[in-house]
Amino acid sequence: CIKSLSVYSGFYKHKAYKDAIPAWKKVCDICPKSSKNLYLRGVSMYKKFYKEAKGDDARQEQLFDTLMWIYDRRIENFGQEGYVLGRKGTDMLNYGQEKDLNDAFKALRKSYEMQKTKTEAGVLVTLYKAMYKLFKEGKVSKDELIEMYPTLMEVVDANRNSSKEKTKKAYMSAEENLQKMFAPVAECPDLIKLFTPKFDANPEDVKQNRNIIKLMDAKQCEDSDFYIKVAVKLNEQEPSPHSAFSIGKWYLKKAKYVDAIDYFVQAAQLAE
C-alpha cells in the first residue's frame, strides 16, 4: 500500500497521469481507505482523460463510468454522501449523455435534500438546469419547476451574508444564474393560477407566503389583486417597513388613499 501510494503520488505531482494510473488502481484495490485524496485526484485524472478522448465516444463512455465509480467509492469509504452526490450529479450532467440526465437529476436532488442550506452554490444551479432540461422533455411539469425556484433561493438567502467573500460571491452568482433560468419559465398568470388554491387552503403558512411574494416580485407581478392579498397577510404575520410601504404604494396606484395612508404610517413607525 505504502509503495503504491508513493509511486502514484510521485507521478501525479509531475502530472504524469497515465503513468500514475496502475499504482493508483492498486491503492484503490488494496487500501481504499488510505486517503480521501485518492478519490479527489482520481476525479481530476479521469476528467483530463475524458477531455483528451474527445471524438472517441466508446472511450469517453468507459472513462465516464470510471468517474462515477470513483464518486461511489469515495462515499463508500469516506461518507459525506450529500456533499459528494452534488459533485457526482454535476459531473454526470456535464460529462454524461442524454440517457444520464434523469440519474443526474436524482443525484442532485438527493444531494440538496441531504445538504439543505449547506448545498453548494454550483449544485443549486446544476440541479435547476437538470430540472429545466427534464421540463423541456416533458418529464417535469411547469408547476414543479416554478415551486423549486424559491426553495433553492432559500439556500442562497441563507448564505448571502457568509463571512467568506469567496462563498458569498459564489451564491450571488448562483442567484443570478437561477434568475436567468427562471425568467422564461412562468408569467404572472401561471403564478396566480398555481398559488391561489395553495394560499386559500393555508393562508397562515408564513414560509409559503414568503415564497409567493418572492416569486411574484421576481416576475414583477405586483399589480395583481392576488399579490396584494398575500402581501397584506404576510405583513400581518411579519410586519416590516418595506412590506408596509410596498402595500401603501399598491393602494396609492389604485386610488385607495385611506388604505394607502394607513400602510405608509405603519411603514414610518416600523422604520423608527
Side-chain angles (χ1 to χ4, degrees), residues 103-135:
D103 286 338
F105 172 67
K106 286 179 181 177
L108 291 161
R109 182 72 178 261
K110 187 175 180 181
S111 172
Y112 160 74
E113 288 170 351
M114 295 179 76
Q115 295 292 97
K116 296 297 184 185
T117 57
K118 293 181 180 178
T119 305
E120 287 189 290
V123 173
L124 296 177
V125 176
T126 312
L127 169 56
Y128 206 65
K129 183 179 178 182
M131 200 171 187
Y132 188 79
K133 286 187 173 186
L134 289 171
F135 164 67

Side-chain angles (χ1 to χ4, degrees), residues 25 29 50 80 84-86 112 123 127 131 142 175 195 200 220 231 256-257:
K25 286 182 176 178
D29 184 41
Y50 184 94
Q80 293 183 299
V84 178
L85 278 176
Y112 160 74
V123 173
L127 169 56
M131 200 171 187
K142 181 186 279 191
E175 179 178 30
F195 288 112
D200 290 343
Q220 298 181 330
K256 296 183 177 181
Y257 303 124

Side-chain angles (χ1 to χ4, degrees), residues 142 146 182-193 219 221:
K142 181 186 279 191
I146 292 170
F182 174 71
V185 173
E187 298 303 325
C188 296
D190 296 315
L191 298 177
I192 294 167
K193 180 183 175 183
K219 296 299 293 183
C221 306

